Structure formats: structure tokens, C-alpha cells
Amino acid sequence: MYNPKSTDLERDYFPSYHTIRFQDQPAPNLAVQLHFLQLTKQHADTIPEGKDLTTKQGIKVDHLRYGGQDDRQIVDVFYNDSTTDSSPLFVYVHGGYWQFLDITESCSMVGPLVRRGYRVAVMDYNLCPQVTLEQLMLEFTNFLNWTFAYAEKIKTTEIHFAGHSAGGHMLAQILNAPEVVTPERRKNIRSLIFICGVYDLRELWSLENVNPNNILGLNAEKAAALSPILWKYPDAKSWSSIKFHVMAAEHESLTFIEQSRVFGQVLEKAGFPTSFKVIQGYDHFDIIEETAIDDSIIAKNLQEILKL
């Protein structure tokens, strides 16, 4: 266990229970989730409330596909008039425990990054139980292949990847797909940013609040096989020019924080140049919400990573 003193794993793996915000509400855990949905939708482009991304900020968006024609294998790419083909590419993968959220709640960091010269790609994906988690990881591998092909097409030589929560878990697949992430393609990656992720599924896969009716399609063997903390990384030294940043939020369960800490230790021990940081003052949700605020703590952390 990541917290040997835990008496309630269901609660440990339910991030909304650990916010210190909305304590004046009857159900702070529900209030923090609702606030996240309402606020992040205002940062998006695809609904009326979020049109200021394009109409007020002058940001353009291309709605593209990396997979099938009738599902959620889509990616929105954001840029403005000053963006060039060689501008760095920032790729974001949203969370939602592989079963919630979409692009409309995933654009908080778009505005600040585009204004600072980045092209930003926000990935969407099929949710469980439409697919199993095992299938979703293959879908993400296809997305990686699309991303590198797109980067080659626009001739950018600088790519940064970030994933939040379940998106952080999915992002780890970049280390487990050598047929797609070839040494040549790897040369263009500058940083990998893992935010409040889960990297060991052995404790959580059997929890009803995380995996109701086993919609993730897991058993003990598959949960272990899909746990990046348990993977072997024999070629880690070939990633030595890429910076790995593993982040946790202060106001999360000790279990969540320790998953990130141990994942960082696993990466560092394998030979990846890795830093681990607990971002003070944040919970699982506002650590993403405040990426939309240029001078917020989390935005400044990202700016430091990206050398902005």
C-alpha cells in the first residue's frame, strides 16, 4: 500500500474528497467537481461560454483526427497568427479516470501557452467502457504515432507532453512504445510532465468507485501489466536529453502523492533525468484550473519547465 495507515482506499483514490475548498458546502467533494467542470468549460473553444479563446484572444483551432471517423479519437490544435510551423508543440492529455471528461474541460492551459509562442494539441479519446483500458493504451500509442507524424509535417523540432491524473498514466505509455517513439523521433522531445497521476493500478482496479462493474476491463494480471511503476526501462539512458517532471498536489491523499513520488523514484533509478515536486496550495482540480492564469503558481512552474 502507498499509505500503510489508510483505512479507506475508496476514499484515498477519490481525489475530490481531499480538497480543502468548498468546506462551507454540504458536500465539498461534489462542489469541487462541479466547479472544475464549470470553470474549465469556460476555457474551451467548443461551447459558447468558451468562445473568448478564439473571439477575444485571437486563437485559432484545427479540429483533427488521429483515429476512427465516428468516435472520440480527435485532437484540437490551437495556435495564433504569430505561430510558425517551427513553433514548439505542447501536447496535453486530460484525466477523468479513463471514463470521464473530454476536450471541453481540457483547454485551461491553451491561452497562456499559445500567447507565449506554443502550438497546443489537446487530445481526446474513447472512454471506458466503450473500450477497455488495455485498448485505450493502444489507442494512445496510435495518437503518439499521429503526434510525431504531425510534428514532422509542420517541421517542429521541439515537443513537450503533459498528462493529468489518468492522462498522466496514459502518457507513461510513451516510454513503452519503442516501435512508435523511435530514437530519431525522441530527439524532438524536450520534456514529459506528469501531473497528479496514478501509475500503479493494483490497489485501485478492484475499487467500485474507481472501476464500477469493472468498466476498465481489468483483472489482477492486467492491472499489473498496465502499471508504469512496474515496467522495465532498459533504454532509459537514451532519454538522457529529455527532462521528466513528476508533480503531485499538496491537497491530495497521501496515497496519490506517494504514487507520484514512487513513480518519480522508479524513473530516476532507471536512469531518466527526473524531478519530483509537490505543488503547494493545490488540490487535484485547481492545479489544472489555474493553468489558465498567467501568474499562478502552477503556470509559473510550467513556464519554468518550458523556459518561457
Side-chain angles (χ1 to χ4, degrees), residues 9-11 13-14 17 97 99 207-212:
L9 278 179
E10 296 272 354
R11 190 179 183 91
Y13 281 105
F14 213 79
Y17 279 110
Y97 261 148
Q99 58 199 280
L207 302 177
E208 187 63 21
N209 66 340
V210 177
N211 186 22

Side-chain angles (χ1 to χ4, degrees), residues 142-162:
N142 292 335
F143 170 72
L144 288 173
N145 192 47
W146 178 91
T147 300
F148 287 108
Y150 177 78
E152 291 157 11
K153 177 182 177 180
I154 63 174
K155 298 181 174 61
T156 185
T157 58
E158 181 179 338
I159 311 172
H160 302 263
F161 290 89

Side-chain angles (χ1 to χ4, degrees), residues 284-299:
H284 194 80
F285 302 93
D286 59 357
I287 199 169
I288 295 300
E289 294 167 5
E290 290 205 359
T291 60
I293 303 172
D294 290 85
D295 60 351
S296 67
I297 293 172
I298 184 60

Side-chain angles (χ1 to χ4, degrees), residues 27 90 109 118 161 168 185 212 215 233 267 279 304:
F90 187 97
M109 60 185 71
Y118 275 74
F161 290 89
R185 285 176 160 181
I215 65 172
Y233 300 104
L267 293 177
I279 309 297
E304 182 179 348

Side-chain angles (χ1 to χ4, degrees), residues 51-60 79-82 114:
K51 287 300 182 183
D52 68 317
L53 197 63
T54 51
T55 60
K56 294 182 181 178
Q57 299 186 46
I59 294 175
K60 301 176 181 179
Y79 55 96
N80 62 19
D81 287 338
S82 65
V114 170

Side-chain angles (χ1 to χ4, degrees), residues 103-171:
I103 282 180
T104 64
E105 297 102 7
S106 306
C107 297
S108 298
M109 60 185 71
V110 168
L113 289 175
V114 170
R115 288 195 298 273
R116 285 169 168 79
Y118 275 74
R119 185 186 301 267
V120 180
V122 180
M123 177 204 187
D124 209 348
Y125 48 86
N126 291 318
L127 300 177
C128 301
Q130 181 181 352
V131 293
T132 66
L133 183 53
E134 197 171 32
Q135 292 169 329
L136 182 53
M137 296 300 271
L138 293 175
E139 190 173 295
F140 184 75
T141 301
N142 292 335
F143 170 72
L144 288 173
N145 192 47
W146 178 91
T147 300
F148 287 108
Y150 177 78
E152 291 157 11
K153 177 182 177 180
I154 63 174
K155 298 181 174 61
T156 185
T157 58
E158 181 179 338
I159 311 172
H160 302 263
F161 290 89
H164 172 246
S165 194
H169 167 267
M170 291 168 61
L171 178 57

Side-chain angles (χ1 to χ4, degrees), residues 193-233:
I193 307 167
F194 301 90
I195 307 171
C196 302
V198 285
Y199 310 101
D200 187 341
L201 310 188
R202 291 175 296 176
E203 284 186 344
L204 65 82
W205 79 270
S206 60
L207 302 177
E208 187 63 21
N209 66 340
V210 177
N211 186 22
N213 299 314
N214 195 22
I215 65 172
L216 302 180
L218 296 176
N219 55 32
E221 182 180 359
K222 290 180 179 179
L226 293 173
S227 294
I229 275 178
L230 304 180
W231 294 347
K232 304 299 181 184
Y233 300 104

